[in-house]
Amino acid sequence: MTYVICEPCITVKDKSCVDVCPVDCIKGTDDDKMLYIDPATCIDCGACVAACPVNAIYNETEVPEQWTEYTKINADYFNK
Ligand code: SF4
Ligand code: SF4
């Protein structure tokens, strides 16, 4: 299981979630349009959810229907 960053992160990218992640699995460069969670490293702690000012982060079982493709988008970022 993992958590997933969805569309609201795009352009916001304030990295509040990065600071609270205990396993440092939230990545993204200045050139990326959003940040991404590495599903292979995420320990499902949920700490990032409350840190996000725009409610962009969801447990993969609770990703809103309009953003379901973001589960794959997050995983694909780490399979480049
Ligand atoms: S759920 Fe926890 S481990 Fe996973 S990305 Fe969020 S803060 Fe990091
Ligand atoms: S806290 Fe939310 S908006 Fe900020 S970088 Fe993380 S997912 Fe994106």
Side-chain angles (χ1 to χ4, degrees):
M1 293 261 280
T2 185
Y3 277 65
V4 175
I5 299 180
C6 299
E7 186 177 84
C9 180
I10 294 175
T11 73
V12 181
K13 289 177 58 180
D14 72 333
K15 299 187 178 177
S16 298
C17 52
V18 174
D19 293 337
V20 301
C21 180
V23 292
D24 196 25
C25 68
I26 305 174
K27 304 293 185 184
T29 68
D30 288 347
D31 291 333
D32 293 320
K33 63 181 181 180
M34 58 178 277
L35 268 58
Y36 307 89
I37 293 172
D38 182 356
T41 311
C42 174
I43 58 170
D44 264 351
C45 73
C48 53
V49 174
C52 181
V54 291
N55 295 322
I57 310 176
Y58 296 86
N59 184 291
E60 71 172 328
T61 64
E62 296 171 348
V63 172
E65 195 173 340
Q66 70 271 33
W67 295 326
T68 49
E69 75 266 28
Y70 281 86
T71 302
K72 185 172 187 299
I73 289 170
N74 278 242
D76 284 351
Y77 182 81
F78 299 93
N79 292 319
K80 290 192 286 197

